[in-house]
Amino acid sequence: WTSAARYFDPPSSVDKSLLKPCQETRLMISQAMKHYVEVTADWDGVETVTAEGTTSIRGRCWDGYFWYPPACRDDASKCVIFFTGGWNLEESMQKAAGWNMPLS
């Protein structure tokens, strides 16, 4: 019972044609991701991008559709799928990082 992923399908089981790619989500909002880093100090969960002389921070997506918290970054199959629909995304990311929850 200490490994929640045993009871759920992994992120790889999701039909990605039904999802928005990360590029179309709040993970691309620099101010939101800056705040995430300020709260969690999790620089591995974001990436710094420079384009046309402007530097921004965006959420890192390893497969183009899911952001993985520290608890399951090394093995995405240990992540429990958590759909936000965009609502409370940053809050969910902060909780996953701060409480070591394997939510993707």
Side-chain angles (χ1 to χ4, degrees):
W1 67 272
T2 59
S3 177
R6 292 178 21 192
Y7 306 101
F8 297 91
D9 289 332
S12 62
S13 70
V14 175
D15 179 355
K16 291 183 176 82
S17 71
L18 300 173
L19 304 177
K20 283 185 177 182
C22 291
Q23 294 291 336
E24 297 176 19
T25 68
R26 294 187 55 80
L27 290 168
M28 300 299 114
I29 298 175
S30 187
Q31 188 58 39
M33 295 302 107
K34 284 180 186 175
H35 184 67
Y36 168 78
V37 171
E38 290 169 359
V39 171
T40 65
D42 177 25
W43 281 99
D44 292 332
V46 298
E47 56 191 4
T48 303
V49 179
T50 302
E52 300 176 15
T54 302
T55 300
S56 61
I57 297 174
R58 62 184 184 191
R60 181 172 292 176
C61 286
W62 285 262
D63 64 2
Y65 291 89
F66 287 99
W67 173 85
Y68 298 124
C72 57
R73 272 190 203 138
D74 292 336
D75 184 357
S77 70
K78 293 181 181 176
C79 285
V80 174
I81 302 166
F82 183 73
F83 294 111
T84 67
W87 292 95
N88 296 322
L89 175 65
E90 300 90 282
E91 177 183 342
S92 299
M93 290 171 65
Q94 290 173 19
K95 288 178 180 178
W99 292 329
N100 201 35
M101 298 166 64
L103 301 178
S104 63

